[in-house]
Amino acid sequence: MKFKDQHIISMREFSREMIDHILNAAEKMEPIAHGKHKSDLLAGKVLAVLFFEPSTRTRMSFETAMIRLGGDVLNLGSVDASSIAKGETLADTVRVVDGYVDAIVLRHPKEGAAQLASEFSRVPILNAGDGAGHHPTQTLLDLYTIKRESHLEGIKIALAGDLKYGRTVHSLCYALSHYGAHITLISPKELSMPEEIISDIVARGAKIVETDSIEDAINDVDVLYMTRIQKERFPDPAEYQKVANRLKVTMETLKGVKPELKIMHPLPRVNEIDTRIDDTPHACYFKQAFYGVPVRMALLGLVLGAIE
Amino acid sequence: MTEIETELRVRRIENGTVIDHITSGKALIVLKILGLPDSSHGVVSVLINSHGIYGKKDVVKIENRELKAEEVDRIALIAPNATINIIRNFNVTRKNKVHIPSFVEGVVGCINPNCISNSNEPITSKFKVTTEDTGLKLRCFYCARVISENIAENLL
Ligand SMILES: [Zn+2]
């Protein structure tokens, strides 16, 4: 499998073989991510971190990945204070920066920005989120978490929250369908998964059930993936309150679940998950955040040709 | 209407192009795509809701101009059943159905206001075209948003 010099833009074109390859590479990176082994795999390589909107977690996770592999990070700083304010196009910024570095991590508020950047860059572009668009490293770290903490093949997973606008949830469903997943979609009707996506993932082999209650689904699943519901999606604040309270996991909710149930959340959470759950073996969200590091290490190693 | 009456309204052309079987009501959009009327060309005539064998259709006749392939591609997006007849010396020398391109560049604008193709970047819009039983679908190469209705309204 050839990842060297490839851009990582979207999950859409990732086959199961490609995903498995990345997840296997990530597993080998884990001891280095923990700081148990030293590595100079990417010594002499420089990664540009080009964030046109803030996302501290994603940025730190990429920076940690690069540093743990002995590489250097060039943080272009807050972009609104520099070139973008002067009206420079993204295409120009990329053509300048690609001369300084060996790879570029890009976060941008406009959808399709990573695709555009890849057309102008001589070095690999890693998409760290473009608008409401793709965020492939999030999907890969979600898959990696499921693989490490539960199992991927035939997984029974429930996804709860805003399934209409949550595009990372859409990508995750596409990817899970490669593994014959049984997916329960939990959302208020106003925020249910678009029909087009459901029919796509069913055609790819996933089994889908829809409900609006966590309680209906939770006892039967291996993984519960919670996401945040944004208040702005609701014209009426009272409606939001109703929904927000319904899609909440408390200690009460966990009565009768499988002992091996894992609860995931991309973070930050608001109040979807009671903090008392943090100390139970079900809590998986902080580990999930950590797993972003080995996954990003694997991707950097692959696109920079340091591993195959 | 008899043959003669039609002839009076829309005369035959000596040289040029007849675009036939245009989806009824779309003739004016075809003209827009072709940048017509344009003073440097000859007579352009348009028949709207003409009766054809397969129901109503529009017809556009353009004197002294033969269409380029990319113009034909654009027409296909809004009138997928159109035929292009090249006329020389009052005779049809070539008759082709339009074919729907699998990829179009710089023809249609993305409907997503937050799409990078709608900002001041040195790129042209690009769409992957698919045909399904429900009709044409254009998927933005950048943001993946799908345009399936009112394609004509988004022509650049
Ligand atoms: Zn677009």
Side-chain angles (χ1 to χ4, degrees), chain A residues 48-115:
Chain A
V49 178
L50 197 52
F51 274 39
F52 287 82
E53 65 181 9
S55 176
T56 312
R57 285 156 225 272
T58 305
R59 179 176 59 74
M60 286 181 70
S61 163
F62 266 110
E63 290 179 351
T64 306
M66 194 66 186
I67 292 165
R68 290 280 197 203
L69 290 176
D72 287 302
V73 176
L74 198 58
N75 191 328
L76 279 296
S78 129
V79 182
D80 48 57
S82 54
S83 58
I84 202 171
K86 296 180 197 131
E88 183 178 64
T89 61
L90 174 61
D92 278 4
T93 307
V94 164
R95 282 183 284 195
V96 171
V97 172
D98 78 355
Y100 304 155
V101 297
D102 302 293
I104 296 173
V105 178
L106 177 73
R107 172 99 174 187
H108 198 281
K110 294 242 178 232
E111 286 157 54
Q115 175 59 45

Side-chain angles (χ1 to χ4, degrees), chain A residues 12 87-92 95 108-113 115-116 119-120 130-134 167 196 200, chain B residues 105 112-124 126 132 137 139-146 148:
Chain A
R12 198 184 293 273
E88 183 178 64
T89 61
L90 174 61
D92 278 4
R95 282 183 284 195
H108 198 281
K110 294 242 178 232
E111 286 157 54
Q115 175 59 45
L116 175 136
E119 289 171 33
F120 291 91
D130 51 354
H134 304 287
R167 286 240 220 144
E196 193 181 295
D200 268 5
Chain B
E105 214 176 317
N112 175 3
N114 198 39
C115 176
I116 193 83
S117 71
N118 285 324
S119 51
N120 181 33
E121 296 287 340
I123 49 162
T124 49
K126 298 187 189 76
E132 290 170 21
K137 275 190 175 177
R139 182 185 287 275
C140 177
F141 182 68
Y142 290 97
C143 75
R145 184 72 71 87
V146 172
S148 54

Side-chain angles (χ1 to χ4, degrees), chain A residues 3-73:
Chain A
F3 279 96
K4 187 174 187 295
D5 299 326
Q6 295 297 307
H7 304 287
I8 306 292
I9 306 295
S10 115
M11 285 303 291
R12 198 184 293 273
E13 280 79 35
F14 273 55
S15 66
R16 170 164 176 170
E17 288 66 36
M18 291 161 82
I19 296 170
D20 284 339
H21 192 76
I22 294 164
L23 302 188
N24 288 336
E27 211 154 347
K28 295 187 191 114
M29 294 294 180
E30 233 186 85
I32 308 168
H34 278 295
K36 286 179 188 149
H37 293 295
K38 286 248 172 286
S39 169
D40 56 1
L41 197 65
L42 297 182
K45 300 282 187 192
V46 183
L47 175 71
V49 178
L50 197 52
F51 274 39
F52 287 82
E53 65 181 9
S55 176
T56 312
R57 285 156 225 272
T58 305
R59 179 176 59 74
M60 286 181 70
S61 163
F62 266 110
E63 290 179 351
T64 306
M66 194 66 186
I67 292 165
R68 290 280 197 203
L69 290 176
D72 287 302
V73 176

